Amino acid sequence: DGEFAKKEVEALWTGYKKKELSETLEGKDVSPVTGCMVFPTLDRGSKLFGGKAGYESGVVSTFLPGVPSISGFYANGVLGKLDGTIGGAPVGPNENMLHGSASCYVVFRSKTKRPFFSPKQAMIDAADAAAAKAAAKAAELELAAEDEKRSTMSKSSFGSEGQVAPRSPDGELIVRRREIHSGRSLSVSTVEWSVAEKMAKPTSALEGFMWEKETQVDRQRERIPLALLMSQCKAAMMDPSKPKPRDWIGPVKQAGADGKFVIIPECKRMEPTTGSLRKRYDLQKLVKQLTKAGAPSISVNSDSVLFGGSMEDITQAREASAAAAATESLDSNDGVIAPPVLASDLLLYPYQLYKLRLAGADAVNLVVGALDNKDLLYLTKIASTLQLQVVASVTSEVQIKMINKLGAGSVSAIALSNRELENFDFDTSGEQALNLLRSEALAAFRENHGADVPVLVEGRVGIIEVDGDETSY
């Protein structure tokens, strides 16, 4: 009877697996299965099992998934003992017998437990390796295209090639806000039409960067209006379950006590003039490593126009640092504090501050060279209302004097940058930051805002050599 034969085979293998499981639970050392031989008699072909070929070998593969080899052949009879897993122990002596209508299964195991070759697994591994190689190649091509795009954007689109950017009498770059009503007239018969088109060209990398950022913010406002964003932010500030901004500059001051040198790491995908900084940018992994290394605070570049970042990077960095601090505290039995996160971006509107507040930023970076006095004052006040600390990034004495006009406590730190805002490259000599450190404007800043306000330096610090030595700088 075919149906009974099917049930008999399945019952046999079910009993075998139960026996194997019980031995495992008892703590016995069960070796892995390396193969199985199937020896059915001639009457147990496909006709017996309803015309299904290979039924018994199929059952074997079901109960022994991943077995590298299943083989066998038909015989006139099989020799062996009755298996007691079907109906209990057989009555009488269980000796080797010749069975004229039966199937015999021989299971092979690895006594040494060495890895064995599996053709199926080898094919799977080869396919996975080929897919991984193809994915890596595609990622490299995508990364190269992204590098080329951002490099072209910073060098060509952001500034007229071969022309010097206009500057004011005090040496500052003259930057204009984006023109949204530029166009030209077009006469068709007796009707004159106004055709809107992008005619203006940015005169510097900073100006082009600002225009792209303004366009980006306009698109974000279309999806989430400012009024709705402010309501969401207010609700988050009142919700005790939501994360609150932490003291970003406090750990920096503590780490720099007694005149110690402090390094604040920054995470960013790429530089507009040089391209990607690494092939595999895993932000969460980097933040966890920095947390375990004891970084007092971290900076995360969230700009997507030139640096390849996103608002989600702020949230991921905060969550990754908290997870790493909790794990490290359990492993070392010592309290590890998650470093607070500074959001580094080109901030032109309060809308961006509300977005960063919801993303989980603890502090923000303001590029003073992109702001006038009125915008600088307004943004620092909004940041204070949102409990976000402000780090002001400057590239000239004029910009430091702009900060001096603000009230004490408006900024938590000042960062002297070696970046050239005209082309977004770096001053490789490092003299730009050194001159600012020695300037009278910085001395006035310390007098007005307090000597305890940290002064930071950014831009190739640790790479610039003086007299052939990086430490001399």
Side-chain angles (χ1 to χ4, degrees):
D1 181 37
E3 290 301 320
F4 179 79
K6 290 181 180 180
K7 293 179 181 179
E8 184 182 37
V9 172
E10 293 176 0
L12 172 68
W13 280 103
T14 301
Y16 172 80
K17 294 299 289 185
K18 286 182 179 180
K19 181 180 177 182
E20 185 182 52
L21 179 61
S22 64
E23 290 178 352
T24 303
L25 294 176
E26 291 172 2
K28 294 183 179 179
D29 193 9
V30 180
S31 300
V33 177
T34 60
C36 180
M37 298 288 288
V38 183
F39 303 114
T41 54
L42 294 175
D43 62 331
R44 296 176 67 85
S46 60
K47 186 175 181 180
L48 177 65
F49 296 105
K52 186 176 181 180
Y55 175 79
E56 291 188 270
S57 58
V59 173
V60 174
S61 64
T62 300
F63 282 88
L64 298 178
V67 63
S69 177
I70 300 175
S71 186
F73 51 82
Y74 285 97
N76 289 323
V78 293
L79 292 171
K81 298 179 181 180
L82 290 174
D83 194 292
T85 60
I86 298 179
V91 180
N94 187 13
E95 299 179 352
N96 284 323
M97 300 172 58
L98 175 62
H99 305 274
S101 178
S103 291
C104 177
Y105 304 95
V106 181
V107 178
F108 296 89
R109 295 181 180 274
S110 174
K111 184 176 181 180
T112 60
K113 296 184 179 181
R114 293 178 180 176
F116 50 86
F117 177 75
S118 169
K120 180 180 178 181
Q121 189 61 40
M123 292 177 61
I124 294 174
D125 293 342
D128 291 344
K133 185 177 180 180
K137 184 65 175 179
E140 289 181 5
L141 293 175
E142 182 180 358
L143 196 62
E146 190 73 12
D147 287 350
E148 181 65 23
K149 173 186 173 183
R150 297 184 190 279
S151 179
T152 303
M153 187 182 295
S154 63
K155 293 180 179 180
S156 299
S157 300
F158 289 0
S160 301
E161 294 185 7
Q163 297 183 8
V164 179
R167 294 181 179 269
S168 61
D170 57 12
E172 287 296 290
L173 280 176
I174 298 177
V175 291
R176 304 161 296 167
R177 287 302 179 98
R178 178 176 54 111
E179 296 182 16
I180 59 176
H181 299 296
S182 63
R184 61 187 175 91
S185 62
L186 180 66
S187 297
V188 180
S189 185
T190 59
V191 182
E192 185 174 282
W193 302 85
S194 178
V195 182
E197 61 181 358
K198 189 175 180 181
M199 299 177 64
K201 289 279 292 182
T203 59
S204 64
L206 175 61
E207 190 172 79
F209 191 10
M210 291 170 60
W211 291 4
E212 291 292 331
K213 185 61 66 174
E214 288 174 310
T215 303
Q216 184 185 75
V217 174
D218 284 346
R219 291 170 181 165
Q220 292 173 347
R221 283 173 176 160
E222 292 175 358
R223 293 191 295 267
I224 304 177
L226 177 60
L228 177 59
L229 185 63
M230 293 175 65
S231 299
Q232 293 176 352
C233 201
K234 184 177 180 180
M237 294 175 69
M238 297 176 63
D239 189 348
S241 64
K242 299 293 183 180
K244 300 295 184 288
R246 300 162 294 183
D247 181 13
W248 187 85
I249 203 63
V252 176
K253 290 182 177 180
Q254 186 177 359
D258 301 327
K260 294 180 181 178
F261 194 77
V262 182
I263 296 177
I264 302 173
E266 181 178 32
C267 301
K268 57 184 174 184
R269 283 179 172 81
M270 57 184 63
E271 270 289 334
T273 56
T274 59
S276 298
L277 300 177
R278 58 168 59 195
K279 289 185 177 181
R280 299 290 180 268
Y281 179 77
D282 190 338
L283 175 63
Q284 294 179 328
K285 182 179 179 180
L286 288 174
V287 171
K288 289 179 180 179
Q289 292 174 345
L290 294 173
T291 301
K292 294 179 180 179
S297 300
I298 59 175
S299 172
V300 176
N301 197 304
S302 58
D303 166 65
S304 61
V305 177
L306 289 183
F307 296 90
S310 67
M311 289 285 181
E312 289 74 19
D313 287 348
I314 304 298
T315 306
Q316 291 181 7
R318 183 172 184 131
E319 293 174 350
S321 63
T327 303
E328 192 70 11
S329 297
L330 291 175
D331 294 342
S332 62
N333 295 324
D334 191 14
V336 177
I337 300 176
V341 180
L342 167 76
S344 181
D345 201 339
L346 181 62
L347 303 179
L348 304 175
Y349 299 105
Y351 186 93
Q352 297 169 275
L353 293 176
Y354 289 110
K355 292 279 288 184
L356 290 172
R357 172 65 173 80
L358 288 175
D362 302 300
V364 294
N365 178 53
L366 293 181
V367 180
V368 180
L371 305 170
D372 56 26
N373 289 309
K374 181 179 64 176
D375 290 337
L376 182 60
L377 175 62
Y378 188 40
L379 290 176
T380 53
K381 285 186 176 181
I382 296 295
S384 177
T385 303
L386 297 176
Q387 302 172 350
L388 295 173
Q389 295 180 336
V390 174
V391 177
S393 177
V394 299
T395 59
S396 68
E397 292 187 50
V398 175
Q399 296 170 22
I400 298 177
K401 292 176 181 178
M402 291 174 61
I403 301 175
N404 286 339
K405 296 178 182 179
L406 302 176
S410 299
V411 297
S412 299
I414 184 172
L416 312 181
S417 177
N418 276 318
R419 191 180 289 278
E420 299 280 359
L421 296 182
E422 182 173 349
N423 54 18
F424 258 65
D425 208 342
F426 287 102
D427 174 20
T428 55
S429 68
E431 287 298 320
Q432 181 168 289
L434 289 176
N435 291 334
L436 293 178
L437 282 170
R438 306 186 189 105
S439 67
E440 296 180 0
L442 184 62
F445 168 83
R446 285 173 167 157
E447 183 178 347
N448 295 337
H449 290 263
D452 61 332
V453 177
V455 177
L456 312 176
V457 178
E458 63 176 356
R460 301 300 175 93
V461 178
I463 300 177
I464 298 173
E465 294 184 0
V466 177
D467 299 329
D469 184 14
E470 297 91 347
T471 58
S472 300
Y473 179 71

